[in-house]
Structure formats: C-alpha cells, structure tokens
Amino acid sequence: MRMMRLGDVVVHFEDEGDPDGLPVVFSNSLGTDFRLWSKILGGLPDGLRIVRYDKRGHGLSTIPNERFTIADLADDAAALMDGLGISGAVFVGLSIGGVIALQLAATRPDLVSAIVLSNTAARIGSDQMWRSRIEAVAKDGIQSIADGVLERWFTDSFRRSENAEFEAWRSMLCRTTVAGYLGCCESLRTADLSDLARKIRQPVLAIAGSHDGATPPNVVKDTASLIPNCRYRLISGAGHLPCVEKPEEYAILVGEFLREAGSAAQ
C-alpha cells in the first residue's frame, strides 16, 4: 500500500512498471477506485510506468471536506505527479477522471503530453440531474441510487444475476464514502470545461461505449469535436465502463495510442 500526503489530502496510489518508461496516469470514475483499470493492464505495451490513484473520498484516499471543485481534483493529480517526479505523461481519465484530465492538460501542460478521454464530456449531465442525485444520496445513501447507476454503467448481459463480478462493482459503488461521492457530484454539477477543451493542443483519444447510459456516444463525440487534435473511437457492446466489459478491445485502443505517444516523445 502506497500513500502520499498532498496538503490536506492523503492519496492512495500504485506506481508500477518501468520507472524510466513512458508514464501513464489513470484517473477513475465516480464511485470506483483504481481497481477499475486492473483488467486492461496486461494488454498494454511493455516498458510503461503505470500510476493509478484513488481520487479524494474514493478507495483509500481521504477527504478533508465535502466542498471541492474539478480544479481541486486536478490539483491533487498534479501534486501526486510532482511528488513522483512525473512529467510528460499520458493521462487516462474515465468519466469524472476525463474531466480531471481536461483541466490538468489545460492548466499543467508540462505534466501531460497526451490524453485519453474515456466515456466523458466537457459537461456531464445537467444541474437538475446532479441536484436530484445529491438530494437522494444525502437522504438515503448511495444504495438508494445504485440500481439506476449500474444500469448506466453496464449492459444487460453484464448485469445478469449469475455474473459474480457484477456484484463486486455494486459493492465498490456502495462502499464509496458519501462525502466523497457527494463532493464529486457537486464538482460535476458546476463544471463546464467546453472552453478549456477548445484550447487543448495535446493529442487526444476519445473513447465511447455504444451502450453508455451516463455519457452516451453522441455526448463523447461532441466533446471530441471541440478538441483540435482528437480522434474518436466507439467500443460496441459496452456501457460506461468499457475497460471492465471489453478490456481486450479497450487495451488495444489505448495501447496503440500509447505507442504513438511514446514514439512522439523520443
């Protein structure tokens, strides 16, 4: 277990692979921890330095208070990377992790040489949607919204009762701290990074899942269209977490992008 104190936040992370290789930093979605990426790691190219971390209020990372913004979450990622001596990384973010990636790439371009925006958008959801979710979770806990969230995360075939892995994802979601979950919901409620997206100059790969109920393909594609140097790819038969449902296909897409990024960095 590795932990780093970043001001008033203590972040749980893993730093694996080749310490001299291309650094790749993974930022996970709302309601998950860094195990989100476990199934794709074996399919990525050799020679990478892979950093995964739990954002504040998720996994084993702490949360000093419930009020924070996407900029604060990006500052956490930047402080972790600075602490590890990482720059010029490929930053891979899914859902809120992708919003963090946009913020970080715009404000700390020294840290980010390329981005993977997975199942995300410059603006996710509406003000009323987030207000309703915040109210429900504050009143009755994450369990009260779990079924609806999981329907947006996964396809019907993955959510079948005999799939034991599905129950593990439900457990991960429901065990997220309420403070961490609500803080991220509030940060997404107020975040619109459309203007920042237009200023991104790094190479970007945007990935969507055909059955994503949280950030549908058209939403991902709309954000991709804002970014000058962005390619868009669709994974069929996957929901909001294609790295879980279609890990082989996901790893191939990301791996190809990483090879190009690594070649460009040489």
Side-chain angles (χ1 to χ4, degrees), residues 48-251:
L48 301 174
R49 180 181 181 182
I50 295 176
V51 175
R52 297 177 292 158
Y53 74 99
D54 293 334
K55 62 185 167 293
R56 61 171 70 186
H58 286 67
L60 299 183
S61 294
T62 64
I63 178 170
N65 57 68
E66 297 180 23
R67 305 291 295 187
F68 52 87
T69 65
I70 293 296
D72 293 323
L73 293 171
D75 286 346
D76 291 345
L80 175 64
M81 294 170 73
D82 284 336
L84 294 173
I86 290 174
S87 61
V90 179
F91 199 95
V92 184
L94 194 151
S95 197
I96 191 174
V99 184
I100 293 168
L102 285 172
Q103 179 76 34
L104 186 65
T107 57
R108 289 291 307 272
D110 58 309
L111 297 180
V112 181
S113 62
I115 316 168
V116 177
L117 297 178
S118 180
N119 304 81
T120 191
R123 170 66 172 160
I124 298 177
S126 66
D127 180 90
Q128 185 54 50
M129 185 210 81
W130 290 116
R131 287 184 185 277
S132 297
R133 187 178 299 192
I134 289 167
E135 181 180 353
V137 171
K139 179 182 178 183
D140 297 314
I142 295 174
Q143 295 87 343
S144 67
I145 64 163
D147 286 343
V149 169
L150 293 164
E151 286 179 7
R152 292 186 288 273
W153 279 11
F154 297 117
T155 59
D156 291 345
S157 59
F158 190 88
R159 297 197 322 272
R160 65 189 189 280
S161 58
E162 61 269 26
N163 182 9
E165 183 185 355
F166 171 65
E167 293 304 321
W169 290 101
R170 174 188 290 276
S171 180
M172 184 185 293
L173 169 64
C174 292
R175 292 184 185 187
T176 303
T177 67
V178 169
Y181 193 88
L182 290 179
C184 286
C185 287
E186 180 62 26
S187 71
L188 287 169
R189 184 185 71 80
T190 58
D192 186 345
L193 275 63
S194 299
D195 289 340
L196 281 183
R198 294 184 179 95
K199 299 175 182 178
I200 298 296
R201 293 298 178 263
Q202 296 95 326
V204 179
L205 169 65
I207 299 175
S210 63
H211 290 69
D212 187 344
T215 51
N218 65 299
V219 172
V220 179
K221 198 168 187 177
D222 285 347
T223 290
S225 69
L226 300 176
I227 302 170
N229 189 13
C230 182
R231 71 187 68 172
Y232 168 83
R233 297 290 183 268
L234 178 69
I235 297 180
S236 297
H240 191 54
L241 308 181
C243 51
V244 175
E245 287 197 88
K246 299 285 185 176
E248 296 85 3
E249 187 173 345
Y250 194 94

Side-chain angles (χ1 to χ4, degrees), residues 32-52:
T32 68
D33 60 40
F34 69 49
R35 288 174 291 181
L36 174 69
W37 308 103
S38 297
K39 292 173 74 172
I40 72 163
L41 298 184
L44 297 179
D46 295 331
L48 301 174
R49 180 181 181 182
I50 295 176
V51 175
R52 297 177 292 158

